[in-house]
Each structure stands twice: as C-alpha cells, then as structure tokens.
Amino acid sequence: MNAVTGLATSKSQPRQRLLETASRLFYAEGIQAVGVDRLIAQGGVTKATFYRHFPSKDDLVLAYLRDRDAAIRAQFAAGAATVGSPEQALDLLIAGIADETCGAGFRGCPFINAAAEYPDPDHIIRRAVDNHRTWFRQTLTSLAAACGHPDPPAAAAMLVLLRDGAMVGGYLDGPAVSDALARATHAVLGGLG
C-alpha cells in the first residue's frame, strides 16, 4: 500500500512495464526482431533494472509466453463457468478463436510465432510453447469426451490442427477463416459441438 496515495502498488512496476512492452513488441514485430536495448528504452527502465528482473532476454520471452498462457487459461475458465454444457463451452471456445482472428492487430498465435523463432525443441521457449499446447489439447480432449465423441483424443488433435490453421489463415487471409473454422469444428465433432 502506498502511504501517500493509499492505493495498492504492484510488486514490481518496472517488471510489469517490461513485460507489457515485450508483449506488445514481440507480438507485433517478432521476438528476435526486438532487442534488449529497445525493450529497456520503451519500458522506461535502466539496463540494471532489466537484468535484475530478467537475467536474459530468454527469461523475458518465457515470462511473456507464461503471461499469455495464464491469460488464455483464465479466459477459458471464466467463459466455461458461464455456460451450461460442454457443447456450449466448445462453441464459446470456437467463437473466441474466431473473434480473435478478426481482431485489430491480429498477427497469428503468439505460441506458433515463438515456435517459429525457436526451432530447437529442447529450448526452454519451445518447452513453454509445448506446455501451452498440451493444456489446450487436453482441454479439447475433455470437451470432446464430455460431448460424447467416440474418440476424444483424435477429435482434439483435429481441433488443434483446425485452430492452428485458423490462426495462420486469420493472419494471412483475414476474417473469412472464422466461418470455415466453425463449420470444420462441427464436422469434426459430427454435430456434437
């Protein structure tokens, strides 16, 4: 609590500014294209402050991806809590992906983008990408099972591929992808979703 204003202060405002700056720049321009000096300048911190919070740029990239992952999981959980059935949860998820691909400044999936910039499957950044994708696949498997699909893992694998295609197609081809995603999802689920 700030004694002067009486308002709660964040644990680390410079860290949060760096994370917000990185999130904006990494997503808009690519991770490798954005250097530490630019992050420091636009984050309004000193070099010492940057390295106190993030010992390397990879540590900042990891925090950026973990932050995105946490936000997506929380958004899904909040949405799923508002619906009455797994079919509605799946429809909400697909609608959210479709809305995202139509959003201003959409530049594809941040996890796919990061994986493209970090080709080594053993790199810590790729492991963070894999962690997010594993959660997503497991979530879809659970939804497909709850919808009564006869082969939930296969349905989830197809839905992940559809989502990946929608993310890339939405960036390259625009909003028309969202209708195709909804139709393809229902085809995969055989009318269950």
Side-chain angles (χ1 to χ4, degrees):
M1 185 73 85
N2 184 316
V4 175
T5 64
L7 300 174
T9 56
S10 69
K11 185 175 182 181
S12 174
Q13 290 176 351
R15 183 184 191 284
Q16 189 59 36
R17 276 198 319 269
L18 281 167
L19 193 52
E20 289 168 2
T21 300
S23 183
R24 179 175 44 82
L25 293 175
F26 289 165
Y27 187 72
E29 299 178 23
I31 295 167
Q32 303 298 339
V34 179
V36 169
D37 290 338
R38 185 165 174 216
L39 291 163
I40 289 168
Q42 290 198 11
V45 299
T46 65
K47 192 170 276 201
T49 298
F50 177 93
Y51 287 110
R52 181 174 52 240
H53 293 289
F54 302 103
S56 72
K57 183 180 172 185
D58 281 352
D59 291 308
L60 178 57
V61 174
L62 187 60
Y64 154 69
L65 291 174
R66 286 179 174 163
D67 193 53
R68 287 282 184 130
D69 176 63
I72 290 167
R73 290 180 192 223
Q75 184 179 15
F76 174 77
T82 66
V83 297
S85 71
E87 292 84 2
Q88 290 172 327
L90 185 60
D91 285 343
L92 187 64
L93 177 66
I94 299 307
I97 293 169
D99 287 348
E100 183 180 4
T101 63
C102 296
F106 180 72
R107 199 180 152 282
C109 171
F111 298 95
I112 294 172
N113 295 348
E117 294 194 54
Y118 288 86
D120 178 0
D122 295 324
H123 194 281
I124 191 167
I125 302 305
R126 282 294 295 273
R127 289 196 307 266
V129 169
D130 291 344
N131 180 56
H132 173 75
R133 291 177 65 79
T134 297
W135 165 80
F136 187 62
R137 189 175 295 104
Q138 289 171 344
T139 299
L140 291 173
T141 300
S142 295
L143 282 173
C147 290
H149 195 280
D151 190 353
M158 287 185 273
L159 292 171
V160 169
L161 286 174
L162 286 171
R163 182 257 183 207
D164 289 350
M167 287 289 170
V168 174
Y171 174 55
L172 296 175
D173 300 329
V177 169
S178 63
D179 289 336
L181 174 64
R183 285 192 307 275
T185 299
H186 288 280
V188 166
L189 295 176
L192 297 173

